[in-house]
Structure formats: structure tokens, C-alpha cells
Amino acid sequence: MERVQTAGGWDAIRRDCVRLAEQNANGFHFSGFRDTNGLPAAVVALKPMAVEYQPQFGCVLIRIFGMHSTGGHSRPYFGLEVDTSTNSVSYNHGAGYGNGGVIGNRHTVAEQVAEGIYELY
């Protein structure tokens, strides 16, 4: 919640995700190992590991934390999916981008936390 407040709240996150989708109509992928200049301010404030937009799903996936470690200690997954268009009406949140198959990449819960925003864990 601290990162959400820093981002300006749920409305700011949703607004910036809609803008990101509109500016990248063919899709978008960001990995936290690159410069964040292409991301809107509210999304940057979440300190994401990865951000992805695929138009067929109609939502932006923001991976906040979670990592699989082969032979080590994996960190559980936590992320957000933010509706950006009417394509998400029939979309099953938490299923479209694949949920990995291993701890740290997998999530089993998609819980709505605000209008059009779902926590994945």
C-alpha cells in the first residue's frame, strides 16, 4: 500500500496504465533491468520488476516481486493486473499471461482491490 500511495493511489495507477496501453497499441514489455524512462510515473513508483501489455488481454501486468531460484530460496510472486480496455471484459484475471509453473513465477489468486485492478499472488 505504501507504493500505491507513493504512486498517487489506485486511480493514478489505472490512468497511467490506460495511457501506457494507448501509447503502445501493439504491445509493450519492460524488464526491471532496463531504464524506466518509458514507463509512466505511477507505474515507476511501484518499483516493478517487469511490466507487460498484450492488447488481446486488455490489461497491463505489473510484476512487483517474486523470483524463482533453482536450488535456492524462491521469493513468492506478487503483481497487479490493470484493465485498460473492453478486451478485458471476458478475460480471466491471473490466467492470460501465464502464471509460470514454479514458485516465484506462479500465482493462484487474483483478487480485485479497486475498480479494474487485481492483485495477483
Side-chain angles (χ1 to χ4, degrees):
M1 279 310 294
E2 189 175 305
R3 291 183 192 187
V4 171
Q5 290 171 347
T6 300
W10 293 118
D11 289 338
I13 293 168
R14 186 156 194 273
R15 181 183 58 247
D16 276 3
C17 285
V18 168
R19 187 175 310 128
L20 180 70
E22 289 172 350
Q23 292 172 350
N24 297 278
N26 294 323
F28 178 85
H29 181 79
F30 160 81
S31 178
F33 303 110
R34 297 186 317 200
D35 191 358
T36 60
N37 286 340
L39 296 176
V43 176
V44 170
L46 296 173
K47 301 177 185 174
M49 292 178 65
V51 179
E52 188 172 353
Y53 171 65
Q54 293 182 19
Q56 69 269 29
F57 300 137
C59 61
V60 171
L61 172 68
I62 304 170
R63 182 181 186 142
I64 307 294
F65 60 80
M67 183 167 295
H68 177 67
S69 177
T70 303
H73 296 285
S74 297
R75 286 185 261 160
Y77 182 96
F78 180 80
L80 300 171
E81 279 188 344
V82 182
D83 290 340
T84 60
S85 75
T86 56
N87 288 358
S88 64
V89 170
S90 61
Y91 173 69
N92 182 15
H93 287 279
Y97 285 90
N99 66 0
V102 295
I103 296 171
N105 292 335
R106 176 179 42 155
H107 51 272
T108 56
V109 176
E111 184 175 305
Q112 188 170 5
V113 293
E115 182 66 34
I117 302 177
Y118 299 80
E119 284 182 337
L120 308 177
Y121 55 93

